[in-house]
């Protein structure tokens, strides 16, 4: 007979509950009630606490949300790192079974199973965090209420607390910024682009796949440029949120992977090289090493970084094995107790 | 990485979309469009359209109103958004514009006969965006601006006589009574100023921003605030009473009917308060019914009925003494788009400027529509 594990039962129950709530109240009401309004009111409340400064409120709420989603972020970062460490083996398998697709799929599945890596582990935590980030993003823009219509809209999303009612409309001035309008001095756009570039550079892990390498290279430049451009167009409250979020991301990334491919990077190197010929973000396989020019110092730093990562991964694997063993022992002792 | 790109795309789809007036509309909010109310003078209706033009309509009593003129003409760029209701005095229409991508905020004086511009204030440069309506008393025009200043402008020359600076934006229209100008500001204060020179007489503190225009009735000032309270203030600046049972902000002007002060609220209800004590005499919809949409614009009185528009896209007509609904327009299935502009009453007809960019003339006696006019170019 088909049996469901407890974990699957919980997942099914949660999914059914979410569907029932969505159908009963409507998706927009649920979204507003569960995510948008709490974050929006927290922003307004913090503005009131911090002398009416909406800028400080944005910084604090971004930190709070980053901390609340920290377990998910860590899981995602660890999973990405583990996937990246498997890349050389994956390439070997792909070469070996290039003509037999079925065998290739089986071998890849075996590789994931043996190394205890779940490919969905990179995406799932990101997907779970996604609604929270959208709600935070929407809350900032709604709280700013830069037109009378938006203020009218804001009135429908505030809690009936005097401290919140008294704070609205929010003070849009923060440092040199009018948080409701784009930064005229381009400082925020530069900060946003630079911080995102650092984060991208740190988070791009070594890959043996030339396609991934090429995509990584493009993204390291494209994403910061794109966000810098957005920052020039949208209210600077959003730009501030992106900059703070990037800085927190850099700190977190440093504790997980260290400086990553940023290690050994020098500003002089950046200035003398055009973006298109920038060094690859990863330690490539032997074939790529011949093709890509790289400074000896940088090579050494990347090799050291890679060794560190492999060690961490090994450490993680042995920890998992120890956990499994402990879990096994616990199961057998439970069974023994039941028998007695 | 591609996933990151997807995230960026989704953020922009869900949060920030290009707005119609240039720049970006963020947070899934409403695009600015303006909510100028209509005003009638000399059998002509004047209104600031959502396309940023002042429109004059004539033949109001016929089956179909005709356009008399529009300012600026269609070959010139529009004034930007218009939130304030125009005011008419001595053959001149005065309107304050919020400004937009191509025009700075300014106050315009326009000849009511031909739509020609007489003057604009300021001549050069700009002031803060104007949201409240201008008011005229003793040959002086008073208008508040988002730069926090109240301007007193000579209507002959178009030059300012004095300015008074408050601590925050002014979105309300002023009220003038016995040589004193009353104006509410986002700095949570209602100011009483000498109309001659702009010197402050007193100020009254409420608990939140004020966007509502004061109503002066029987030597009492009535004004609502964003602290969800409605205040009655004596002419010396002392509080008479406050009403605190509403569940959202009071935004626009109240109207007086006998012993009642009737005010719309963003909680989706209209309250009738005793003018002397502040006791709630009735509210619509009653307790056992769901509120209608937020009531932003001022209601209007036509004889013994009170008319108001709501964010739910309907216009409601109530018995002013009991608060009972007489009828509403349109019927259940139809929808005008949010009615945020104040209602204009005249000769058994009310004029409604809805967000679908149409002006409606509603016959109060028969509860039917006389005509509608689209203000779209």
């Amino acid at each position: 007979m088909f049996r469901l594990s407890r974990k699957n039962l919980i997942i099914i129950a949660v999914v059914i509950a979410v569907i029932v709530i969505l159908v009963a109240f409507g998706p927009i009401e649920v979204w507003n009630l569960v995510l948008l309004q709490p974050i929006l009111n927290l922003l307004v409340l913090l503005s009131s606490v911090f002398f009416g400064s909406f800028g400080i409120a944005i910084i604090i709420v971004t930190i709070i949300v980053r901390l609340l989603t920290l377990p998910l972020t860590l899981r995602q970062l660890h999973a990405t790192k583990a996937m990246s460490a498997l890349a050389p083996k994956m390439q070997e398998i792909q070469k070996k079974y290039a003509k037999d697709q079925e065998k290739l799929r089986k071998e890849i599945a075996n590789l994931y199973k043996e190394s205890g890596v779940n490919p969905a582990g990179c995406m799932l935590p990101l997907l779970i965090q996604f609604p929270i980030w959208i709600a935070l993003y929407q809350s900032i823009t709604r709280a700013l209420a830069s037109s009378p219509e938006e203020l009218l809209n804001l009135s429908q999303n505030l809690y009936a607390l005097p401290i919140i009612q008294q704070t609205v409309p929010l003070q849009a001035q923060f440092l040199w910024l009018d948080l409701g309008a784009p930064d005229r001095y381009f400082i925020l756009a530069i900060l946003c682009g630079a911080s995102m570039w650092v984060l991208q550079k740190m988070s791009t892990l070594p890959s043996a796949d030339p396609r991934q390498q090429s995509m990584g290279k493009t993204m390291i430049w494209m994403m910061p440029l794109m966000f810098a451009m957005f920052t020039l167009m949208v209210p600077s409250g959003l730009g501030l949120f992106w900059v703070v979020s990037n800085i927190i991301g850099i700190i977190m990334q440093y504790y997980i992977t260290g400086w990553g491919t940023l290690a050994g990077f020098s500003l002089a190197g950046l200035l003398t090289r055009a973006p298109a010929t920038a060094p690859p973000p990863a330690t490539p396989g032997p074939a790529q090493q011949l093709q890509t020019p790289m400074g000896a110092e940088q090579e050494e730093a990347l090799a050291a970084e890679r060794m560190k990562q492999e060690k961490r991964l090994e450490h993680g694997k042995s920890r998992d094995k120890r956990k499994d063993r402990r879990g096994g022992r616990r199961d057998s002792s439970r069974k023994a107790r039941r028998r007695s | 990485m591609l996933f990151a790109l997807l995230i960026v795309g989704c953020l922009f789809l869900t949060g920030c979309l290009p707005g119609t007036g240039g720049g970006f509309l963020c947070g899934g909010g409403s695009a600015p469009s303006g909510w100028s109310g209509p005003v009638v003078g000399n059998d002509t209706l004047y209104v600031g359209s959502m396309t940023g033009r002042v429109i004059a309509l004539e033949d109001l009593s016929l089956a179909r109103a005709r356009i008399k003129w529009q300012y600026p003409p269609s070959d010139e760029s529009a004034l930007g958004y218009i939130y304030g209701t125009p005011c008419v005095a001595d053959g001149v229409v005065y309107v304050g514009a919020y400004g937009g991508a191509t025009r700075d905020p300014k106050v315009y004086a326009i000849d009511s006969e031909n739509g020609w511009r007489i003057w604009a204030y300021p001549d050069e440069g700009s002031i803060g965006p104007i949201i409240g309506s201008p008011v005229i008393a003793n040959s002086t025009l008073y208008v508040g601006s988002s730069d926090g200043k109240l301007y007193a402008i000579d209507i002959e020359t178009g030059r300012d006589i004095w300015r008074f600076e408050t601590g925050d934006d002014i979105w309300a229209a002023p009220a003038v009574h016995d040589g004193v100008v009353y104006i509410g500001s986002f700095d949570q204060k209602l100011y009483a100023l000498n109309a001659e020179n702009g010197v402050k007489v007193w100020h009254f503190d409420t608990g939140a921003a004020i966007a509502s225009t004061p109503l002066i009735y029987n030597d009492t000032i009535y004004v609502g605030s964003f602290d969800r309270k409605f205040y009655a203030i004596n002419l010396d600046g002392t509080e008479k009473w406050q009403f605190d049972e509403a569940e959202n902000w009071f935004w626009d002007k109240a109207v007086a009917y006998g012993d009642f002060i009737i005010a719309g609220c963003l909680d989706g209800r209209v309250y009738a308060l005793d003018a002397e004590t502040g006791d709630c005499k009735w509210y619509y919809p009653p307790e056992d019914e769901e509120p209608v949409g937020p009531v932003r614009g001022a209601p209007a009185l036509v004889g013994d009925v009170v008319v108001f528009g709501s964010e739910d896209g309907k216009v409601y007509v109530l018995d002013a003494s009991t608060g009972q609904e007489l009828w509403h327009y349109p019927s259940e299935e139809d929808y005008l788009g949010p009615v945020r502009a104040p209602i204009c009453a005249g000769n058994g007809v009310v004029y409604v400027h809805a967000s679908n960019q149409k002006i409606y003339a509603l016959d109060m006696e028969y509860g039917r529509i006389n005509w509608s006019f689209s203000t779209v170019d």
Side-chain angles (χ1 to χ4, degrees), chain B residues 53 99 294 308 362:
Chain B
R53 296 178 198 281
F308 70 94
L362 296 177

Side-chain angles (χ1 to χ4, degrees), chain A residues 31-186:
Chain A
W31 173 265
N32 286 347
L33 207 69
V34 176
L35 281 173
L36 185 78
Q37 286 179 358
I39 297 176
L40 180 65
N41 282 277
L42 181 63
L43 273 169
V44 178
L45 183 72
L46 286 171
S47 289
S48 172
V49 171
F50 290 97
F51 322 106
S53 172
F54 188 53
I56 294 177
I58 291 176
I59 294 170
I60 291 173
V61 171
T62 312
I63 293 170
I64 291 172
V65 172
R66 272 290 201 174
L67 286 175
L68 286 176
T69 55
L70 186 64
L72 292 169
T73 312
L74 290 179
R75 227 174 130 180
Q76 179 216 334
L77 289 175
H78 282 300
T80 312
K81 203 168 74 175
M83 282 288 287
S84 170
L86 284 183
K89 284 183 185 173
M90 186 77 82
Q91 208 184 22
E92 263 177 45
I93 293 171
Q94 277 169 345
K95 266 186 194 170
K96 201 171 169 185
Y97 302 106
K99 289 176 184 171
D100 187 351
Q101 287 298 311
E102 201 174 323
K103 182 79 179 162
L104 177 69
R105 271 196 295 273
K106 262 186 191 171
E107 287 298 318
I108 289 173
N110 278 343
L111 179 67
Y112 285 146
K113 205 174 175 184
E114 278 167 18
S115 52
V117 171
N118 181 5
C122 309
M123 289 293 181
L124 200 62
L126 203 62
L127 280 175
I128 296 169
Q129 292 175 63
F130 196 40
I132 300 168
W133 286 109
I134 291 179
L136 176 57
Y137 182 88
Q138 285 192 337
S139 302
I140 290 169
T141 51
R142 286 204 185 186
L144 281 166
S146 49
S147 73
E149 282 85 352
E150 283 177 8
L151 191 62
L152 187 61
N153 196 6
L154 178 65
S155 74
Q156 302 303 305
N157 287 303
L158 294 177
Y159 295 153
L161 297 170
I163 192 168
I164 287 175
Q165 301 292 326
Q166 283 163 11
T167 314
V168 173
L170 299 170
Q171 290 298 327
Q173 204 63 39
F174 179 65
L175 301 175
W176 74 96
L177 299 166
D178 174 0
L179 296 171
D183 178 16
R184 283 177 295 171
Y185 305 108
F186 309 127

